[in-house]
Amino acid sequence: MGFLRERMGKILAFFIGFALLAFIISEVVRSGGSFFRDDSNELAVVNGEKIPLDKFNKLQDQNTNQFKQQSGGQPLSGQITSYIQETTWNQLLSDLLLKKEIEKLGLVVGQDENDAMVSGNSPDPQIASQFRDPQTGAFDRNRLNQALAYLASAKADTVQKHQWRDFIIQVVEAKQKTKYVTMVTNGLYVNSLEANDDYQAKNKLVNFKYATLDYASIPDSKVTVTDADYSAYYDAHKAEFKNQQETRTFEYVSFNGSPSKDDSTAVKAEVIKLADSLKVSTNDSLFVQINSETKTPLAFQKKGTLEPKLDTLMFNSAKGFVYGPYVSNGSYKLAKLSDVKTTFDSVKTRHILINPQLTGGLDKAIAKADSIKKLIEGGKSFADLATTFSSDRGSAAKGGDIPAFDVNGAMGGGQGQIAPEYTNASFKAKKGDLIVVTSQFGVHLIQVEDQKGSVKVIKVAVVDKPITPSSKTQTIAYSKAQKFLGSITKDNFDAEATKEGLKPRTAEEVTGTAASLPGLDNVRDVVRWAYKADKGDITDKVFTVGDQYIVPRLTEIKPKGILSLDAVKKQIKPAVLNEVKGKQLDEKFQAALNGASSIDQVAQKAGTKAVPVQNIVFANPIIPGQSAEYKLIGSIFGSQPNKLSKPVNGSQGVFVYYVDGFTNPAPLTNNIRQKQQIAQALVQRADGQVLEALKDNANVKDNRAKVL
């Protein structure tokens, strides 16, 4: 018995542990093994279907690269990155939801339809746009047939076959989406009554007089708003308070770690020391690479392209002139006029772009470009080879044609910017030359078609040193932030800030994907914290955001869906105040209406003026000198002439009106055009509204705030 008593605890612990392990294993099996798995790769779950983070990242990279190409390779700001991120999310979500609807309805693109889209009498516009005559811009059937024959041959490149297959899949999916939207739009119908109402709303005129008492005539301090007033307004407008996505609001104090006056003086002294060395430098390009923070390769530039402080000065100076130090864009700079020459005003080229990622690396891409160059030198058509081989499908459709550009790579009409490597090589080459050049976009086979004009250009070496905070400045600011963090609790945040002479700032309704806030960039760490915190929580660490050290406190969480009265109370306060004021102004007008026979008498008794208005239409409810007054104009068009109205609570105040008369338009004898206009407007909105409806009805678990 003693033995059993001694061992019983261990035996029970064993069986409890075994049972618990069995339960965990069963849960793992039942849930697909996710019990211990890191779900950091799960961006979202939409109607039960998971969207992997790597799929999102791949699409975002594609969209980012496309944006860079369209913007000439300009660096991306935090706002642009957030925009691309949001666009990519909406693209993924829309594609997934539409795909489900398409599958549910059984919408397919049959083989005959597929063949017609690719090689029929009227190919799909996406395909036709890739095979245009470079001279006329019209679809070229021969170019398409040549490409299809090449892809079907044994010598066709495997990568190009895969590219074509993926392209056709995209075309087919786009066709399916078009079918779906067409089904929706075909169900839209405009009847004769709607057409006539629309005609009347745009053409029926009314003349009237009105008197108004503005809400602003009663000071807010003279109004008492009760909880019942708030509740009544909230209940009447509840549908307006639907939050499309969860947001978080936090307040924060910021400790400035930006450069001090001493820091600026130290950087200036460093740049002054470089000035003498730059003057005697014989290799300015190397000097910039060694000594400058921004290591931009030296390139010839024409007048008007340098920063304003340098442009006129350098173009009127002699070679070797050095200017500076001067302050520009947060840096001390030196500038030296390194070279001067006269060159072409513009160069016209065409190119074939080879993507190293699709050809097995840079060496193979260069080798492929060299092979194509030999084919052209042997008499093959540049335009035909561009159509077949170029990864730049936009120019490939035009035989590789690129608009003329100047020495800075700027294309005429603001069409974009050419890569520096491409520009430099094109200006160094002779007319007719075929050259192979590598840039950030890949390997280019360039043919120089024409070189026109003459212009003076200069090469300026710029050495810059950013005015950055010293470690001493940063340490002082960070120490202050740490001291403040150590002194605060959930209850004394504002009091401690006031004691330190700090004014808390508020970041209102921050979305889970926000990358920047007014005055602050790169705030992802702060946003992630906010979406893990509870209301009232303060951070457990100081966040570094640029040259600021911030300490935040989460003050509000607004969930997705209909917001509570407490959540919107601050937001609706002005409207509730106006409603309460409106009751007082109603009473004032009611007293003025008593015994009055004209709008002028009403206005005089109420202490205001009667204002005449002519030729107002229902479709444009704006009163001259006032904002849009939908409720007032709607009431007027629903009233009878020659009668004093009851008070109407509008947007800016309370109104009383008197209708002089209506002018009816000529009868609508043929409503076909009216129906077409309304239908066209409906169709234009249908695509976006369908997607919004699908998103509203979808069950979406959005993890972006945690994983991005």
Side-chain angles (χ1 to χ4, degrees), residues 365-381:
I366 294 173
K368 187 170 184 176
D370 287 332
S371 298
I372 297 172
K373 178 182 176 182
K374 290 177 182 178
L375 290 175
I376 295 169
E377 291 171 338
K380 293 291 184 181
S381 165

Side-chain angles (χ1 to χ4, degrees), residues 70-102:
Q70 292 173 347
S71 62
Q74 296 296 315
L76 302 182
S77 66
Q79 288 182 323
I80 294 296
T81 301
S82 293
Y83 168 77
I84 295 172
Q85 213 173 64
E86 190 65 22
T87 300
T88 304
W89 163 254
N90 285 324
Q91 183 181 348
L92 264 180
L93 186 58
S94 298
D95 286 348
L96 190 150
L97 293 173
L98 278 175
K99 185 178 179 181
K100 288 293 184 184
E101 290 297 303
I102 288 167

Side-chain angles (χ1 to χ4, degrees), residues 394-410:
S395 68
K398 303 172 184 176
D401 185 67
I402 295 290
F405 53 90
D406 63 21
V407 70
N408 300 121

Side-chain angles (χ1 to χ4, degrees), residues 8 92 156-157 223 367 374 381 466 505 567:
M8 186 57 69
L92 264 180
D157 188 287
V223 178
K374 290 177 182 178
S381 165
R505 301 176 187 176

Side-chain angles (χ1 to χ4, degrees), residues 443-461:
V443 177
H444 309 262
L445 172 58
I446 305 170
Q447 185 173 54
V448 179
E449 296 186 286
D450 201 3
Q451 296 165 323
K452 293 182 179 180
S454 177
V455 65
K456 178 183 176 180
V457 292
I458 62 174
K459 189 181 285 186
V460 179

Side-chain angles (χ1 to χ4, degrees), residues 204-261:
K204 184 177 180 179
L205 306 175
V206 65
N207 297 334
F208 63 94
K209 276 186 173 183
Y210 73 90
T212 182
L213 294 171
D214 291 341
Y215 298 128
S217 64
I218 302 177
D220 291 353
S221 59
K222 300 294 184 181
V223 178
T224 301
V225 181
T226 66
D227 289 341
D229 293 325
Y230 277 107
S231 296
Y233 184 90
Y234 174 78
D235 292 339
H237 299 83
K238 189 176 289 188
E240 299 173 15
F241 307 130
K242 184 175 182 181
N243 208 23
Q244 297 298 329
Q245 58 180 315
E246 181 181 339
T247 61
R248 306 246 167 159
T249 296
F250 56 88
E251 62 177 354
Y252 64 94
V253 292
S254 178
F255 296 84
N256 190 2
S258 60
S260 67
K261 186 176 181 180

Side-chain angles (χ1 to χ4, degrees), residues 18-90:
F18 181 83
L20 183 59
L21 179 61
F23 169 76
I24 291 174
I25 292 172
S26 68
E27 283 297 294
V28 170
V29 173
R30 186 175 63 83
S31 61
S34 65
F35 198 94
F36 294 112
R37 189 178 61 238
D38 179 10
D39 286 334
S40 60
N41 190 46
E42 189 178 282
L43 179 76
V45 182
V46 181
N47 293 335
E49 183 170 339
K50 296 178 181 178
I51 300 180
L53 178 60
D54 50 13
K55 181 179 180 180
F56 174 86
N57 288 338
K58 182 179 179 181
L59 182 58
Q60 182 175 321
D61 288 343
Q62 292 174 4
N63 290 339
T64 300
N65 291 334
Q66 185 178 1
F67 184 90
K68 285 180 178 178
Q69 289 183 17
Q70 292 173 347
S71 62
Q74 296 296 315
L76 302 182
S77 66
Q79 288 182 323
I80 294 296
T81 301
S82 293
Y83 168 77
I84 295 172
Q85 213 173 64
E86 190 65 22
T87 300
T88 304
W89 163 254
N90 285 324

Side-chain angles (χ1 to χ4, degrees), residues 406-703:
D406 63 21
V407 70
N408 300 121
M411 293 186 282
Q415 298 180 65
Q417 195 83 11
I418 301 295
E421 299 86 354
Y422 190 113
T423 300
N424 294 338
S426 299
F427 271 84
K428 287 179 182 177
K430 299 188 296 294
K431 183 177 178 179
D433 280 359
L434 283 166
I435 49 179
V436 176
V437 177
T438 300
S439 80
Q440 60 176 314
F441 302 111
V443 177
H444 309 262
L445 172 58
I446 305 170
Q447 185 173 54
V448 179
E449 296 186 286
D450 201 3
Q451 296 165 323
K452 293 182 179 180
S454 177
V455 65
K456 178 183 176 180
V457 292
I458 62 174
K459 189 181 285 186
V460 179
V462 177
V463 178
D464 69 329
K465 293 291 182 183
I467 305 172
T468 55
S470 63
S471 57
K472 178 182 177 181
T473 299
Q474 291 175 314
T475 300
I476 291 172
Y478 185 76
S479 297
K480 289 180 179 178
Q482 283 284 22
K483 181 183 176 183
F484 177 78
L485 178 61
S487 68
I488 59 174
T489 65
K490 290 183 179 182
D491 302 320
N492 71 351
F493 189 93
D494 292 329
E496 287 296 315
T498 302
K499 186 189 298 183
E500 295 294 327
L502 300 167
K503 185 177 181 180
R505 301 176 187 176
T506 302
E508 292 189 355
E509 299 187 11
V510 179
T511 64
T513 57
S516 61
L517 296 171
L520 296 174
D521 280 332
N522 302 319
V523 294
R524 286 300 306 151
D525 286 344
V526 185
V527 174
R528 288 192 197 96
W529 166 82
Y531 273 78
K532 293 176 183 176
D534 292 323
K535 183 176 178 179
D537 282 358
I538 55 175
T539 178
D540 58 356
K541 70 173 184 177
V542 174
F543 289 99
T544 303
V545 182
D547 57 11
Q548 302 294 310
Y549 299 97
I550 70 172
V551 179
R553 177 180 69 164
L554 189 67
T555 56
E556 188 174 23
I557 298 173
K558 286 188 177 180
K560 181 179 179 180
I562 300 295
L563 298 173
S564 67
L565 173 56
D566 286 341
V568 299
K569 203 165 189 177
K570 181 180 176 182
Q571 172 189 335
I572 67 176
K573 182 178 180 180
V576 177
L577 277 168
N578 284 346
E579 290 230 336
V580 177
K581 291 177 183 180
K583 293 176 183 177
Q584 296 180 24
L585 298 174
D586 275 356
E587 292 173 0
K588 191 172 182 179
F589 261 140
Q590 289 288 5
L593 281 164
N594 189 18
S597 59
S598 70
I599 188 69
D600 296 285
Q601 288 180 356
V602 173
Q604 185 179 20
K605 291 171 71 175
T608 184
K609 293 181 180 180
V611 182
V613 180
Q614 293 184 326
N615 299 332
I616 298 295
V617 296
F618 182 79
N620 187 29
I622 297 176
I623 302 173
Q626 299 271 352
S627 60
E629 288 289 353
Y630 296 96
K631 194 172 180 180
L632 172 64
I633 299 303
S635 178
I636 287 172
F637 273 89
S639 65
Q640 297 296 319
N642 306 318
K643 288 185 178 181
L644 281 170
S645 75
K646 294 179 179 179
V648 176
N649 289 29
S651 300
Q652 301 299 315
V654 178
F655 295 83
V656 171
Y657 61 85
Y658 180 89
V659 176
D660 295 319
F662 296 98
T663 302
N664 291 310
L668 184 61
T669 56
N670 187 344
N671 61 20
I672 292 177
R673 183 180 177 186
Q674 212 75 21
K675 285 183 176 181
Q676 288 174 340
Q677 290 176 344
I678 300 172
Q680 186 177 8
L682 289 173
V683 168
Q684 288 174 347
R685 297 197 304 266
D687 198 349
Q689 288 179 336
V690 165
L691 287 173
E692 287 306 311
L694 291 175
K695 290 176 185 177
D696 284 345
N697 291 325
N699 182 8
V700 180
K701 178 187 175 186
D702 187 351
N703 296 327

